Amino acid sequence: MYRVADHQLGFAVNGSRKFYMSETQGFFQNLSSGILVSAGGIDVTGDSSIQGSLSITGDGSNAVTLTESGNGDFTIDAPDDIRLDAGGQDIVLKGGG
Protein backbone atom coordinates (compact mmCIF):
# COMPACT_ATOMS: atom_id res chain seq x y z
CA MET A 1 0.00 0.00 0.00
CA TYR A 2 1.27 3.47 -0.75
CA ARG A 3 0.24 7.11 -0.75
CA VAL A 4 0.00 8.44 -4.33
CA ALA A 5 -0.64 12.09 -3.38
CA ASP A 6 -2.78 14.11 -0.99
CA HIS A 7 -6.14 12.38 -0.45
CA GLN A 8 -5.10 9.31 -2.51
CA LEU A 9 -4.33 5.74 -1.54
CA GLY A 10 -2.92 3.01 -3.76
CA PHE A 11 -1.90 -0.62 -3.92
CA ALA A 12 1.13 -1.99 -5.77
CA VAL A 13 2.24 -5.51 -6.74
CA ASN A 14 6.00 -6.09 -7.18
CA GLY A 15 6.51 -2.33 -7.30
CA SER A 16 3.93 -1.78 -10.07
CA ARG A 17 0.91 0.36 -9.26
CA LYS A 18 -2.30 -1.68 -9.76
CA PHE A 19 -5.03 0.32 -8.05
CA TYR A 20 -5.44 3.74 -6.56
CA MET A 21 -8.39 5.70 -5.28
CA SER A 22 -9.10 9.24 -4.25
CA GLU A 23 -12.14 11.13 -3.01
CA THR A 24 -13.58 11.28 -6.55
CA GLN A 25 -12.23 8.35 -8.58
CA GLY A 26 -10.69 4.89 -8.67
CA PHE A 27 -8.19 3.58 -11.22
CA PHE A 28 -7.31 -0.05 -12.00
CA GLN A 29 -4.11 -0.43 -14.02
CA ASN A 30 -2.35 -3.23 -15.90
CA LEU A 31 0.88 -2.06 -17.56
CA SER A 32 -0.14 0.78 -19.92
CA SER A 33 -3.86 -0.04 -19.94
CA GLY A 34 -6.39 0.72 -17.28
CA ILE A 35 -9.91 1.50 -16.17
CA LEU A 36 -10.77 4.88 -14.65
CA VAL A 37 -14.02 5.06 -12.70
CA SER A 38 -15.19 8.55 -11.78
CA ALA A 39 -18.35 10.63 -11.50
CA GLY A 40 -18.07 11.32 -15.24
CA GLY A 41 -18.27 7.63 -16.16
CA ILE A 42 -15.85 4.85 -17.02
CA ASP A 43 -12.81 5.34 -19.29
CA VAL A 44 -11.04 2.24 -20.61
CA THR A 45 -7.62 2.30 -22.30
CA GLY A 46 -6.35 -0.73 -24.17
CA ASP A 47 -8.25 -3.65 -25.72
CA SER A 48 -11.42 -4.81 -23.98
CA SER A 49 -13.63 -7.88 -24.20
CA ILE A 50 -17.23 -8.34 -23.10
CA GLN A 51 -18.84 -11.74 -22.73
CA GLY A 52 -22.61 -11.65 -23.14
CA SER A 53 -24.60 -8.66 -24.34
CA LEU A 54 -23.88 -4.96 -23.95
CA SER A 55 -26.86 -2.71 -23.29
CA ILE A 56 -26.61 1.06 -23.76
CA THR A 57 -29.23 3.48 -22.49
CA GLY A 58 -29.31 7.24 -22.11
CA ASP A 59 -32.19 7.39 -19.67
CA GLY A 60 -32.33 4.04 -17.86
CA SER A 61 -34.90 2.57 -20.26
CA ASN A 62 -35.20 1.86 -24.02
CA ALA A 63 -31.77 0.20 -24.11
CA VAL A 64 -30.02 -0.66 -27.35
CA THR A 65 -28.42 -4.11 -27.11
CA LEU A 66 -25.28 -5.29 -28.90
CA THR A 67 -24.96 -9.07 -29.05
CA GLU A 68 -22.59 -11.58 -30.68
CA SER A 69 -24.24 -14.95 -31.30
CA GLY A 70 -21.28 -17.20 -30.53
CA ASN A 71 -20.88 -18.13 -34.19
CA GLY A 72 -19.87 -14.68 -35.42
CA ASP A 73 -23.25 -13.01 -36.07
CA PHE A 74 -23.47 -9.49 -34.64
CA THR A 75 -26.87 -8.05 -33.72
CA ILE A 76 -27.78 -4.44 -32.93
CA ASP A 77 -31.24 -4.47 -31.34
CA ALA A 78 -32.83 -1.03 -30.96
CA PRO A 79 -36.38 -0.32 -29.75
CA ASP A 80 -36.55 2.60 -32.25
CA ASP A 81 -34.61 3.76 -35.31
CA ILE A 82 -30.91 3.07 -35.92
CA ARG A 83 -29.14 6.17 -37.23
CA LEU A 84 -25.69 6.21 -38.83
CA ASP A 85 -24.20 9.71 -38.92
CA ALA A 86 -20.96 9.95 -40.91
CA GLY A 87 -19.13 13.27 -40.69
CA GLY A 88 -17.07 12.27 -43.74
CA GLN A 89 -20.31 11.75 -45.75
CA ASP A 90 -19.55 8.06 -46.48
CA ILE A 91 -21.06 4.97 -44.91
CA VAL A 92 -19.29 1.82 -46.12
CA LEU A 93 -20.61 -1.72 -45.61
CA LYS A 94 -18.26 -4.60 -46.44
CA GLY A 95 -18.93 -8.29 -46.71
CA GLY A 96 -16.29 -10.96 -46.26
CA GLY A 97 -13.53 -8.42 -45.58
Side-chain angles (χ1 to χ4, degrees), residues 9 16 18 22 26 28 31 35 44-45 48 50 56 72 79 81 85:
L9 179 65
S16 176
K18 298 299 178 190
S22 69
F28 299 89
L31 300 174
I35 300 173
V44 179
T45 57
S48 300
I50 297 174
I56 303 170
D81 298 335
D85 185 356

Side-chain angles (χ1 to χ4, degrees), residues 9-23:
L9 179 65
F11 297 91
V13 177
N14 293 328
S16 176
R17 182 169 72 174
K18 298 299 178 190
F19 173 74
Y20 77 83
M21 61 188 165
S22 69
E23 294 175 350

Side-chain angles (χ1 to χ4, degrees), residues 3 10-11 18 24 30 34 39 42 49 58 73-74 76 80 92-93:
R3 184 172 178 246
F11 297 91
K18 298 299 178 190
T24 59
N30 183 12
I42 299 173
S49 296
D73 291 338
F74 180 67
I76 302 171
D80 200 346
V92 178
L93 302 176

Side-chain angles (χ1 to χ4, degrees), residues 29-41:
Q29 181 177 349
N30 183 12
L31 300 174
S32 61
S33 301
I35 300 173
L36 174 67
V37 180
S38 65

Side-chain angles (χ1 to χ4, degrees), residues 50 53-67 74-80:
I50 297 174
S53 297
L54 173 65
S55 294
I56 303 170
T57 178
D59 62 0
S61 62
N62 300 313
V64 172
T65 304
L66 308 177
T67 307
F74 180 67
T75 302
I76 302 171
D77 186 6
D80 200 346

